[in-house]
Amino acid sequence: MPQETKVVLSVIKAFRLLDILSEVKSPMSLAELSEQSGWPKGTVYGLLSSMRESSVVEQQSDGRYFLGVRLFEYGCAVSACWSVSEIARPYLQHLATKTGESVFLSVLNRNEAITIDQVQSRAGLRVVSEVGTRLPLHCTSQGKVFLAAMPESEAVRILKLKPLAFYTPHTLATWSDLEKDLETARRLGYAVEDGEYKIGLGSVSAPIRDISGQVKYAVGIIGMFHRAQSQEFHDALILTQATAAQISSALGYREKK
């Protein structure tokens, strides 16, 4: 076997050991790592020794191995290079093309949702908020996504920072009414706004998770849908959920099985 191929196999095996340590989430002995990987102790020990030299893997006084601080440093360096707007932009454009509606990307900031990117509909209707616009949480689909991802006590605290305003006759401005919507959003994995912020407009948003699994952003579409129960709206929300999953994956999120 050529030497170059041996090097590649060694790297693959080293990453497999890191995967095992990451999945178990606790220090492991040489014997345990050998059993989990299916490789001889000598092979595993050689790989661990090499990684320990670079602080990719570290060793406790009892001999057990755990993920090293160098991996944290690498993770921070990668995160610093990532711009969510740059990563999400192709997915936003694809969603806008597929649905023909305006698409937005939002982030939570205290008690408001901020639009950080958007793509206008093919029809050119400017129904989506400009980048930098701050929107209320209780009557927008992106706002409901963020509220649904929080513990109830935190959502209540945030909503109490200022009175819930009525924007249309359909606005849900009491906790008892809004709570039902949030429960539905948690169960279905998306949130809907049907004329609650602006008459005649409807939107659907889905959560985007970062590498830790936290809901950090929301992606959604907004348009002049006939009604939230229409087939057109249903098709749009399916595509929105798929887009949120794709962006989450691009940010490093992996759903636990």
Side-chain angles (χ1 to χ4, degrees):
M1 184 181 293
Q3 183 64 28
E4 287 184 1
T5 304
K6 288 183 180 179
V7 171
V8 171
L9 290 177
S10 295
V11 171
I12 292 173
K13 287 184 175 180
F15 277 116
R16 177 57 189 146
L17 291 178
L18 294 177
D19 285 340
I20 293 171
L21 287 169
S22 177
E23 291 164 4
V24 173
K25 294 184 173 60
S26 62
M28 299 180 68
S29 67
L30 177 62
E32 290 170 332
L33 285 165
S34 176
E35 181 180 356
Q36 284 282 326
S37 65
W39 304 323
K41 289 182 180 179
T43 299
V44 174
Y45 179 77
L47 292 167
L48 291 170
S49 296
S50 297
M51 289 190 287
R52 191 176 58 190
E53 288 295 318
S54 300
S55 297
V56 173
V57 166
E58 297 181 20
Q59 193 173 18
Q60 295 183 157
S61 58
D62 64 0
R64 291 178 178 269
Y65 296 89
F66 61 98
L67 297 177
V69 69
R70 182 60 63 86
L71 293 176
F72 175 75
E73 294 171 351
Y74 288 155
C76 290
V78 171
S79 296
C81 294
W82 281 356
S83 165
V84 65
S85 293
E86 291 178 5
I87 292 172
R89 182 39 95 136
Y91 301 101
L92 302 183
Q93 292 174 328
H94 180 71
L95 180 59
T97 299
K98 292 287 287 185
T99 62
E101 303 294 346
S102 296
V103 176
F104 54 81
L105 179 69
S106 303
V107 65
L108 176 67
N109 182 256
R110 297 189 73 238
N111 62 335
E112 295 174 309
I114 300 178
T115 303
I116 57 175
D117 201 359
Q118 51 99 342
V119 178
Q120 296 290 343
S121 71
R122 289 197 299 265
L125 297 174
R126 300 190 67 81
V127 297
V128 66
S129 301
E130 294 292 339
V131 172
T133 299
R134 294 175 177 270
L135 298 170
L137 300 182
H138 67 289
C139 57
T140 59
S141 61
Q142 58 268 55
K144 293 178 188 178
V145 162
F146 294 129
L147 291 171
M150 302 174 193
E152 182 178 313
S153 59
E154 178 65 8
V156 171
R157 185 192 68 79
I158 286 179
L159 290 174
K160 285 183 176 179
L161 291 177
K162 65 179 183 180
L164 301 184
F166 281 92
Y167 291 90
T168 78
H170 307 296
T171 302
L172 303 179
T174 65
W175 173 252
S176 59
D177 289 336
L178 188 57
E179 186 178 21
K180 298 173 185 176
D181 263 25
L182 299 185
E183 289 175 356
T184 301
R186 292 188 196 98
R187 177 167 51 85
L188 299 180
Y190 62 85
V192 171
E193 180 262 312
D194 188 10
E196 297 159 49
Y197 183 57
K198 290 185 178 180
I199 289 289
L201 294 181
S203 72
V204 58
S205 295
I208 296 174
R209 300 180 184 275
D210 65 7
I211 194 170
S212 70
Q214 298 295 309
V215 175
K216 293 294 186 181
Y217 310 97
V219 61
I221 61 170
I222 184 169
M224 297 184 348
F225 297 98
H226 297 300
R227 54 192 175 90
Q229 292 76 29
S230 67
Q231 185 62 46
E232 176 191 22
F233 194 79
H234 176 74
D235 293 342
L237 74 83
I238 295 298
L239 290 169
T240 300
Q241 283 185 292
T243 300
Q246 291 166 344
I247 298 173
S248 296
S249 179
L251 291 174
Y253 173 65
R254 298 294 179 267
E255 186 174 1
K256 294 180 181 179
K257 298 180 180 180

